[in-house]
Amino acid sequence: MATLTDTYTLTNGVQIPKIGFGTWQVAPGQETYDAVTAALKLGYRHIDTAYAYRNEADVGRAIRDSGLKREDVFVTTKLPAEIKDYDRALDTFNETMAHLDLGYVDLYLIHAPWPWGKRGEDYTEGNLADWRAFEEIYNTGRARAIGISNFAVKDMQAVLDHAQVAPMVNQIHWSIGYTEPEITKFAQDHGMLVEAYSPLGTGRLIGNKDIQAVADHYGVSTAQVAIRYAIQKQVLPLPRSINPDHIKANQDIDGFTINAEDMQTLDALHLR
Ligand SMILES: NC(=O)c1ccc[n+]([C@@H]2O[C@H](COP(=O)([O-])OP(=O)(O)OC[C@H]3O[C@@H](n4cnc5c(N)ncnc54)[C@H](OP(=O)(O)O)[C@@H]3O)[C@@H](O)[C@H]2O)c1
């Protein structure tokens, strides 16, 4: 089966397509609409957005206009990192539902364990309040799966200690040379699928000479190696592009498998 339509299975049985299409820094309006439309036409069936990206409405419109059945597209969105409060989490989810206008969300994530300006500070109480709201949203069927993003081991543990429904996903910065082994192992050991955001290092991995040397063995690009590498590690990559040629290339990764020696070469890189 092609990677684009192949799925991972979350702990609750929900199937999630193995490559997601990222939309961070894609401008609200026509740019998002066109990028998501191009991705859906090329066969992507998993779109990653967030309230904070201000493009949920354009993602929703592109999906509605695509002619695809709602159940054939997997949509992830996120609660803003600044919201650490039960009532505000529920209210913001309602806003997200109105923006997307798709009837339900497939995966809803807490965007980060701390507001962006307070990275690393302890917001455990707020995260637990958010998680109670997430459990309510999940139990009423408005999100088919719930999870977290940017959570370190201690942040995951705090949620697990109190959760009625355990998080199904942790979406983290994960790319060649930056694979967060402790977070990845802890998440996977506790049943969470790890999603790789910035799988191309927000573009910094493109043309990297060490990755290029591996890519040359297979006649592919550095982007294709970066995406294939994540899949071979059982992680779910979320590449982003507004360039139709790149959108096409980033899903064209079924014609090669990175061999064990090259995987070791990539494992040994330290990049940020
Ligand atoms: N949860 C979080 O906190 C969080 C944080 C960051 C990102 N994310 C998610 O992860 C997604 C991906 O991460 P990202 O946005 O940081 O970027 P990325 O996918 O790592 O890299 C995107 C950059 O690479 C370029 N690119 C893509 N494909 C290419 C190709 N085949 N050849 C050459 N250049 C290529 C893009 O430019 P072109 O558009 O010109 O192709 C863009 O500049 C986000 O969009 C978002 O959905 C989540």
Side-chain angles (χ1 to χ4, degrees), residues 30 51 73 81 147 158 206 262 268:
Q30 200 65 37
Y51 185 101
V73 185
I206 303 298
D262 285 333

Side-chain angles (χ1 to χ4, degrees), residues 21-26 48-49 53 78 109 111 116 149-150 171-172 196-203 206 221 223-224 238-243 245-247 249-250:
F21 183 72
T23 65
W24 177 45
Q25 293 182 325
V26 182
D48 184 86
T49 182
Y53 302 168
K78 314 181 191 92
L109 304 176
H111 207 141
W116 293 113
S149 179
N150 293 294
Q171 181 181 121
I172 58 172
Y197 79 61
S198 306
L200 311 176
T202 315
I206 303 298
S221 69
Q224 288 167 323
L238 300 166
R240 179 249 309 177
S241 177
I242 56 169
N243 177 324
D245 293 336
H246 295 167
I247 299 173
N250 291 348

